Amino acid sequence: MTSRAVAPPPRRRSRCGYKSAGLGLVSVSPDKRRRMESALEQVKKYTVVVADTGDFNAIEEYKPQDATTNPSLILAAAKMPTYQPLVEQAIKYGIANGGSEEEQVTNAMDKLFVNFGLEILKKVPGRVSTEVDARLSFDKEAMVSRARRLISLYEEAGVRKERILIKLSSTWEGIQAGQELEKDGIHCNMTLLFSFAQAVACAEARVTLISPFVGRILDWYKENTDRKNYEPHEDPGVQSVTKIYNYYKKFSYTTVVMGASFRNTGEVKALAGCDLLTISPGLLGELSQDHSVVTCSLTPQGAKECDLEKVHLDEKSFRWLHNEDRMAVEKLSDGIRKFAADAIKLEAMIKERMLNVKNGL
């Protein structure tokens, strides 16, 4: 019997181009792979890449569009010898503005966050996110006041508020603070977002941007279920952000989605096409050395085809729906506690340094 040629399986159209049938893997010779673009360069074609760091050197190396910080990142950076002049300037500012010791420390903290933001803005063409103290997460008025204070410090330094995103915890109070600030033209980045309820409420508040966490969701599922390994498309954090992105695009919300808190490059690549992705320097480095093929997973067109129904949430329904998601409840409270703990450590460091300056040490 003569053998007959078998035609290769047809390529199927993905939402952002073609990929091979089956698992969607593309075989590339080592020589050709070395000549290909890195995974980071490919992701940048579909998504705005944001550096999740307070380290200016990392920002300069990977050339992201924007950068985002939080108390934990600023605490780590403030301990580095390179950035001591920024710390010293903030301490002198706090002392010069007088008031009680508590007021001086608070003013120095705000100034330190803004000092780092100002330096970051010299390295990125876009925006920097600066976070309001997590200890204010359940006090709407205090968050609004602190946000306006941060914006005024940026404006005193000659930076327009359009280049700043104020980060707020995605509590009900934080979301309402974001809504009020947006009416004054102060753009907000809602962080510590784990539940669909939080995402819906943020969209209805018309905040500028949300940062749904990916890796921390994965952490919870690994700790609280028998399953310890997930392929990227099965990752519960990836699935959460995918649902939020599709919901926003299907119903034409103006709020944009910035996936955050990644544990591996597979999560990043699985969310190619998301509006923005904020990525740590370590993973940016891995992506820059990775030459696998990245395909676009998320598109507005694909979102329109998703089977999702529109939801409206008032405070009562928000609190109930969020409460029904055990993972989100636990990770939100845990995130607030951890950011608050690092803010306290940063405060203690500033207080000690401030005392040394006053004593001429």
Side-chain angles (χ1 to χ4, degrees):
M1 179 182 294
T2 59
S3 61
R4 72 184 167 86
V6 178
R11 292 185 300 172
R12 62 186 179 88
R13 183 74 182 250
S14 75
R15 288 171 183 158
C16 289
Y18 287 98
K19 60 183 177 180
S20 60
L23 295 177
L25 302 177
V26 178
S27 177
V28 180
S29 69
D31 287 340
K32 186 174 181 182
R33 177 162 293 181
R34 279 191 288 270
R35 295 195 299 269
M36 288 176 58
E37 293 177 310
S38 70
L40 179 58
E41 290 170 317
Q42 293 175 72
V43 168
K44 284 182 176 180
K45 288 183 175 181
Y46 308 127
T47 295
V48 174
V49 170
V50 178
D52 192 12
T53 181
D55 185 348
F56 313 143
N57 293 326
I59 293 169
E60 201 159 25
E61 180 177 359
Y62 298 111
K63 296 177 172 56
Q65 173 71 21
D66 298 347
T68 183
T69 63
N70 61 46
S72 304
L73 295 173
I74 296 297
L75 175 64
K79 293 177 179 177
M80 298 179 187
T82 307
Y83 304 130
Q84 291 316 298
L86 297 181
V87 178
E88 292 167 9
Q89 184 191 29
I91 289 169
K92 290 177 181 176
Y93 176 88
I95 295 171
N97 277 267
S100 65
E101 180 184 60
E102 183 181 349
E103 289 170 331
Q104 290 179 34
V105 171
T106 297
N107 286 334
M109 284 269 286
D110 287 347
K111 185 61 174 173
L112 181 61
F113 274 62
V114 169
N115 280 351
F116 271 92
L118 291 171
E119 292 301 314
I120 288 169
L121 287 172
K122 295 176 184 177
K123 308 289 185 181
V124 299
R127 302 175 296 192
V128 67
S129 291
T130 298
E131 189 150 348
V132 167
D133 194 324
R135 289 170 290 179
L136 305 177
S137 294
F138 302 101
D139 187 336
K140 174 194 167 186
E141 297 307 323
M143 282 185 276
V144 169
S145 176
R146 198 67 169 268
R148 288 181 175 146
R149 170 70 176 149
L150 291 168
I151 290 295
S152 71
L153 288 173
Y154 275 111
E155 290 181 333
E156 286 173 15
V159 175
R160 293 176 293 107
K161 61 186 177 184
E162 286 76 18
R163 294 200 70 194
I164 311 303
L165 286 170
I166 294 295
K167 288 180 79 174
L168 301 166
S169 299
S170 296
T171 57
W172 177 258
E173 295 81 4
I175 295 166
Q176 302 315 300
Q179 184 175 42
E180 183 172 327
L181 290 166
E182 292 282 356
K183 291 176 181 177
D184 293 336
I186 296 173
H187 302 302
C188 297
N189 170 356
M190 305 307 299
T191 188
L192 294 175
L193 193 149
F194 301 96
S195 72
F196 186 63
Q198 289 173 295
V200 171
C202 286
E204 294 194 320
R206 299 188 178 184
V207 297
T208 296
L209 180 149
I210 64 167
S211 296
F213 281 26
V214 179
R216 294 196 196 187
I217 293 178
L218 176 64
D219 294 344
W220 189 91
Y221 277 91
K222 285 184 173 182
E223 291 167 5
N224 291 277
T225 69
D226 293 333
R227 186 166 180 180
K228 306 304 176 187
N229 296 298
Y230 294 84
E231 291 299 316
H233 70 280
E234 299 174 315
D235 185 308
V238 170
Q239 292 179 342
S240 175
V241 174
T242 298
K243 179 180 178 180
I244 291 167
Y245 173 91
N246 287 337
Y247 182 81
Y248 277 21
K249 297 301 181 272
K250 181 177 179 69
F251 297 109
S252 302
Y253 285 109
T254 57
T255 302
V256 296
V257 182
M258 179 169 72
S261 170
F262 292 103
R263 294 293 177 263
N264 54 69
T265 58
E267 291 177 326
V268 174
K269 292 186 285 186
L271 290 172
C274 193
D275 299 312
L276 305 94
L277 297 174
T278 181
I279 308 168
S280 68
L283 292 181
L284 287 171
E286 288 184 37
L287 287 165
S288 69
Q289 299 301 314
D290 179 353
H291 292 276
S292 61
V293 174
V294 177
T295 56
C296 185
S297 301
L298 305 179
T299 68
Q301 296 83 0
K304 296 293 183 184
E305 301 168 7
C306 291
D307 185 20
L308 292 168
E309 295 183 3
K310 196 168 188 179
V311 179
H312 168 69
L313 299 178
D314 57 13
E315 182 177 356
K316 291 178 183 177
S317 54
F318 165 83
R319 292 191 184 281
W320 177 256
L321 186 59
H322 178 72
N323 186 70
E324 286 294 279
D325 188 336
R326 178 187 155 203
M327 174 277 297
V329 171
E330 292 180 6
K331 295 309 292 184
L332 173 60
S333 59
D334 180 62
I336 290 172
R337 285 194 299 271
K338 285 179 177 175
F339 280 163
D342 282 339
I344 291 169
K345 291 176 187 176
L346 188 57
E347 235 175 30
M349 184 186 78
I350 288 174
K351 193 177 293 186
E352 181 182 357
R353 296 279 293 275
M354 192 174 278
L355 187 61
N356 290 339
V357 170
K358 290 178 179 178
N359 292 333
L361 300 177

